[in-house]
Amino acid sequence: MAEFLQFLFSGLTVGAVYALVALGFTLIYNASGIINFAQGEFVMLGGMTTVFLALVGVPLPLAAVVAVLAAVAVGLLLHRFAIEPARGADTVSLIMITIGASIFLRGAAQVVFDKRFHSLPHLFGTDPLRIGGAAILPQSLVVLAGATVIVVLLWIFIDRTLFGKAVIATAANRLAARLVGINTGHMIGFSFAISAAIGALAGILVTPITLTSYDVGTLLALKGFAAAMLGGMGYALGAVVGGLLLGLLEAFSAGYLSSKYKDVVAFLVILAVFFVMPQGLLGRAKVERV
Amino acid sequence: MERTTHGVAPLLEIENLISGYGRIEALHGVSMNIKPGEIVSLVGANGAGKTTLLRAISGVQSVSAGTIRFEGQAIDRLPAHARVPLGIAQVPEGRQLFAPLTATDNLMLGAWWRRADDLSAELARVHELFPMLRPLSRSTAGMLSGGQQQMLAIGRALMSKPRLLLLDEPSLGLAPILVDQILDAIVRLKSEGVTVLLIEQNARAALAIADRAYVLETGRITASGTASEIASDERVQRAYLGI
C-alpha cells in the first residue's frame, strides 16, 4: 500500500507537468492547427532562466517572473518570425518549422547557459511528508497545486471572457472568426504566448524535483504530445486527463516493472492511440449540422 | 421598382476583379457596383463564382487583379478583420457559426470590433428582428435548428453594425415559412438603411425583393439591370427561373 501511494504521488507529480505541456500543445493546435514541437523548450527556458538568474543573485520569485516573461517573448518571436512569415504553408511544413525552432532553441541554450544539470531550491524544504507510509516531497504538492491553479485560471479566462471566447471561436471556425473581424493572426500569437507561459511555469515548478538542463525539452515535448494525443488532440480537458494518466502509467510501470523502460511508456501510448483510437479518450468525431 | 440611382456615389464599386484558387481562375474580370440603400441580387448557377466574389469583398479570398472600393476607399489590400469596422459584414454560406459557443456568445463575437461598447441595444435589435432567437440565448449554437442557425448567423453579422451586408444563400435548405421570414427580415433591414448584396439559389425570391441584379456566369457578369428587367429576361427565365 505504501508502495502504491508512493508511485501514485510521483505519477501525479510528473503527470501534472505532462498535463501542462499537453495544454500548451492544445492551445496552439486549436488556434492554428499547428503541433508546436518547441513546446518542451518553453519548459526548459522556464527552469534554466530561473536557475541562471538565481545564480547571479536575482531573488527567486523575481527570477521566476522574468523567466516566464522571457519564455513568452521567445514564444512571440517564434510566432512572429518563424510561423507568421510561413502563413499559408501547409500544416506539415509549419510543424517542421517548430521542430527546427526546437533544435535552434536547444542549441542557443547550450551557448547562453551551459550543458550541465541544474536544480532550484525546494519551496518548502526537502523533508518528506509521510502519508500512509509513502514519503512525499512538499515540492510535489507545490507542483500539483501550481498546475491546478494554472488550469483553473486558464479555464476561467477561456470560459468567462469575450477574449477567451474569441480564442474558442478561432479554434471552432477560423473563416467565421475572420469574417466577424477577429485578427486570427493575433489569436495564434496569443496562443503561443500563453503556451510559453504555461510551459515555463511547469519548468520552474518541477525543476527542484527533476532537475533541468538545456535538453530536457525534447523528451518533455514527446511526453506532452503523447498526453495530448491520449486525451484527444484539441481538448483542454483531454490534455489534463492524458497528462495525469501518462504520468501514472510511467510511475507504475517504473515501480512495478522496471525503471529502465519508463520512457518507453509514452511511445507505446502514442502507438496505441494511433492504432486503437486516433481521436483519443475525450475526443469524438465532429458532428456538424447541415 | 424603377429607381434613379444616377449621381449617387456607389457604396461598393468593383472593377475588373480577378480571383481564383491556385491556378484556376474563378472570376475573370468582374465589375459591378452597389448604391447605398439598395438590395442587389447576384444570380448564377453553382460554380459561377458568386461565393468567390462575396469572399473577395469581405477579404477572405485573395484577388490577383482589379480593385474593390468601399465608399471610395480601395479596400482590396486590407485584411478581412480590418474590413468589418468599415461596415462590411458577411453571412457566409452554411452559416459557419461558432458551434461550441452559445447563441449570445456568437452575437457578442459578431460585434468583436465594438467589444468596448455597450451592445445591449444591438442585441435587442437582433432579438426584435428575429424573436425566435430570444429564448435561445443560452443554447449552444451547434444544437440549433437550421432556421435558428441562419437567423443567428444574420444576427451575428448585424451586431457589427454593417452598412453593407453580404448574404450567401440565406435560405438554403430552409422550410418555406422560414424562407419568407428571412426575406422579410432582409427587406426590413433595407428599410433601416442597410445595403444588401444577396446570393440566392432561389432566384425568383431574390429578384422579388431586389432593386437590381447581376447575372454571373462562369466568372463573368453577363447581364445586369433592375430586378424586374432581369426577371423578365428570357435567358434568365429559362436558366434560373425555370420558366
Side-chain angles (χ1 to χ4, degrees):
Chain A
M1 189 60 195
E3 211 175 35
F4 177 83
L5 273 179
Q6 190 73 55
F7 298 150
L8 181 72
F9 267 94
S10 68
L12 286 176
T13 306
V14 69
V17 175
Y18 296 162
L20 292 179
V21 178
L23 215 47
F25 272 112
T26 304
L27 283 168
I28 291 177
Y29 176 78
N30 275 346
S32 65
I34 299 170
I35 293 167
N36 171 35
F37 278 104
Q39 191 62 36
E41 270 60 45
F42 295 145
V43 182
M44 177 272 288
L45 282 173
M48 290 294 269
T49 310
T50 310
V51 165
F52 276 79
L53 286 174
L55 278 180
V56 297
V58 179
L60 213 48
L62 182 63
V65 170
V66 173
V68 171
L69 293 179
V72 167
V74 168
L76 287 172
L77 289 171
L78 170 62
H79 171 253
R80 177 67 190 79
F81 292 106
I83 304 294
E84 184 93 347
R87 193 175 36 180
D90 60 304
T91 312
V92 175
S93 312
L94 292 170
I95 291 171
M96 286 200 283
I97 289 176
T98 71
I99 295 175
S102 153
I103 295 167
F104 170 78
L105 288 172
R106 232 177 300 147
Q110 268 185 69
V111 178
V112 175
F113 305 121
D114 60 20
K115 294 209 241 179
R116 283 198 304 241
F117 278 95
H118 296 276
S119 185
L120 283 169
H122 291 235
L123 202 53
F124 297 110
T126 49
D127 292 339
L129 307 166
R130 299 266 159 205
I131 299 176
I136 290 139
L137 284 172
Q139 188 70 26
S140 286
L141 301 180
V142 172
V143 171
L144 283 171
T148 308
V149 169
I150 290 169
V151 169
V152 168
L153 284 180
L154 187 68
W155 179 75
I156 290 174
F157 168 74
I158 295 279
D159 199 61
R160 295 293 153 89
T161 68
L162 192 64
F163 199 92
K165 281 165 183 167
V167 173
I168 301 183
T170 304
N173 194 322
R174 212 163 317 156
L175 169 70
R178 294 173 69 196
L179 286 175
V180 298
I182 294 172
N183 185 339
T184 50
H186 281 179
M187 287 295 152
I188 297 171
F190 173 78
S191 72
F192 271 86
I194 290 283
S195 297
I198 292 174
L201 280 167
I204 297 164
L205 288 171
V206 82
T207 291
I209 300 175
T210 60
L211 308 185
T212 190
S213 74
Y214 76 99
D215 62 352
V216 290
T218 315
L219 211 52
L220 273 171
L222 270 166
K223 304 281 180 72
F225 176 68
M229 290 291 300
L230 177 61
M233 187 54 93
Y235 293 86
L237 186 63
V240 174
V241 171
L244 292 175
L245 213 55
L246 182 63
L248 289 172
L249 280 172
E250 265 191 27
F252 283 113
S253 66
Y256 289 124
L257 300 172
S258 160
S259 58
K260 269 189 206 151
Y261 301 116
K262 182 173 74 86
D263 292 332
V264 176
V265 173
F267 296 99
L268 287 178
V269 164
I270 293 181
L271 288 176
V273 169
F274 274 141
F275 283 122
V276 183
M277 43 165 196
Q279 77 282 7
L281 288 174
L282 273 73
R284 62 213 123 165
K286 285 196 176 128
V287 183
E288 236 169 69
R289 278 214 185 198
V290 190
Chain B
M1 285 293 280
E2 278 290 342
R3 284 168 25 129
T4 48
T5 45
H6 280 290
V8 181
L11 184 66
L12 184 82
E13 207 177 359
I14 296 173
E15 267 171 44
N16 291 317
L17 197 72
I18 295 176
S19 177
Y21 302 87
R23 262 178 287 175
I24 300 159
E25 201 175 283
L27 300 176
H28 319 285
V30 169
S31 299
M32 68 181 295
N33 64 74
I34 303 173
K35 306 264 174 11
E38 280 187 313
I39 296 179
V40 172
S41 175
L42 203 52
V43 178
N46 276 333
K50 305 189 299 290
T51 296
T52 307
L53 182 55
L54 241 59
R55 287 167 53 92
I57 297 170
S58 53
V60 292
Q61 165 78 32
S62 60
V63 299
S64 43
T67 54
I68 305 172
R69 270 192 288 274
F70 187 71
E71 297 192 302
Q73 182 197 351
I75 58 165
D76 34 275
R77 296 281 162 254
L78 285 181
H81 63 83
R83 298 187 196 193
V84 180
L86 295 178
I88 300 174
Q90 184 182 341
V91 180
E93 191 178 3
R95 276 86 81 169
Q96 311 292 340
L97 293 171
F98 303 122
L101 296 174
T102 65
T104 301
D105 287 342
N106 270 271
L107 293 176
M108 297 310 269
L109 285 167
W112 175 250
W113 74 274
R114 305 171 56 212
R115 58 192 177 279
D117 301 357
D118 177 22
L119 297 163
S120 47
E122 233 53 58
L123 215 51
R125 180 181 171 223
V126 170
H127 283 155
E128 204 213 327
L129 189 64
F130 299 119
M132 201 190 244
L133 292 178
R134 212 186 298 258
L136 300 171
S137 53
R138 292 172 147 271
S139 309
T140 305
M143 305 305 283
L144 300 180
S145 74
Q148 293 163 342
Q149 287 196 349
Q150 188 61 59
M151 290 177 189
L152 184 57
I154 297 175
R156 182 179 65 183
L158 290 175
M159 289 295 287
S160 70
K161 255 193 173 165
R163 265 168 304 157
L164 175 63
L165 186 65
L166 310 168
L167 293 164
D168 197 345
E169 304 283 7
S171 80
L172 194 67
L174 298 187
I177 184 162
L178 289 167
V179 174
D180 287 346
Q181 283 184 31
I182 301 261
L183 293 173
D184 286 350
I186 296 170
V187 172
R188 199 170 140 199
L189 288 171
K190 178 196 161 166
S191 74
E192 290 172 11
V194 180
T195 307
V196 177
L197 176 56
L198 172 66
I199 295 181
E200 216 5 286
Q201 278 292 303
N202 187 345
R204 189 190 308 276
L207 290 172
I209 64 166
D211 298 303
R212 288 192 301 126
Y214 288 87
V215 178
L216 190 63
E217 281 173 343
T218 57
R220 285 190 181 82
I221 300 281
T222 54
S224 69
T226 64
S228 48
E229 280 166 14
I230 296 294
S232 56
D233 183 303
E234 224 174 89
R235 258 172 9 99
V236 172
Q237 288 188 342
R238 253 201 321 273
Y240 306 111
L241 301 177
I243 298 175

